[in-house]
Amino acid sequence: EKEGACMKEAEIQETIKNTLRQRFGVPGQLIDQLKPETHLCGGPINLNSVDLIYLFFEVEKVFGIHISEENLG
């Protein structure tokens, strides 16, 4: 179970990195430095609220999931 959860987390991280690279043009060198705790708003990535919504829906689409409002933090 834990191994499956780790694999899913790694897949999500890779999806986010690919989306940042392809959709938002974030340079590969910067993406390589990202950590799970990296803030996507402000700092070197500097996504706005519309960008975050796009990223959110992309993760839902790629993994065929729905994330409810209660699970958003």
Side-chain angles (χ1 to χ4, degrees):
E1 173 75 29
K2 187 170 180 133
E3 184 176 313
C6 289
M7 180 58 113
K8 195 70 147 183
E9 184 176 325
E11 290 177 64
I12 292 170
Q13 289 175 11
E14 197 58 35
T15 297
I16 291 170
K17 288 179 179 182
N18 286 337
T19 302
L20 290 173
R21 184 180 300 111
Q22 296 169 3
R23 166 78 174 169
F24 303 110
V26 176
Q29 181 181 11
L30 182 56
I31 289 174
D32 292 341
Q33 297 172 4
L34 292 179
K35 295 179 174 40
E37 62 273 5
T38 300
H39 291 274
L40 299 178
C41 297
I45 304 294
N46 200 26
L47 297 183
N48 63 39
S49 58
V50 174
D51 295 338
L52 289 175
I53 290 169
Y54 179 88
L55 185 59
F56 173 81
F57 285 126
E58 184 69 12
V59 169
E60 283 189 328
K61 182 178 91 178
V62 166
F63 292 98
I65 59 173
H66 173 73
I67 303 170
S68 67
E69 288 183 37
E70 294 85 32
N71 291 322
L72 296 177

